[in-house]
Amino acid sequence: MGFRPPKPLRDEFEALARREERSPSDALIEAMHDWVKRKRRERAAEQEQPEAP
């Protein structure tokens, strides 16, 4: 997977990872896990809602 986020976003992300003494790769993996979990919760909530008449 290859991508280049906008430089300001990348710079802030890397700075935050450094402050927490983590590698950017480790922080990115955590962010991906969090995003996937959020999407799973959203989809589950959508399936639980009854359809409008």
Side-chain angles (χ1 to χ4, degrees):
M1 176 183 338
F3 65 96
R4 294 295 273 177
K7 184 160 177 26
L9 177 61
R10 188 175 71 240
D11 290 346
E12 183 176 3
F13 181 81
E14 290 174 354
L16 288 168
R18 272 193 306 274
R19 275 188 232 141
E20 294 192 8
E21 298 180 358
R22 299 177 66 187
S23 72
S25 295
D26 185 45
L28 182 57
I29 290 168
E30 179 184 343
M32 291 174 74
H33 279 288
D34 290 347
W35 186 79
V36 168
K37 287 178 193 175
R38 187 182 83 212
K39 291 299 178 181
R40 286 177 181 162
R41 285 192 306 268
E42 289 173 1
R43 288 191 179 112
E46 288 173 0
Q47 291 175 355
E48 292 175 5
Q49 293 178 352
E51 291 186 25

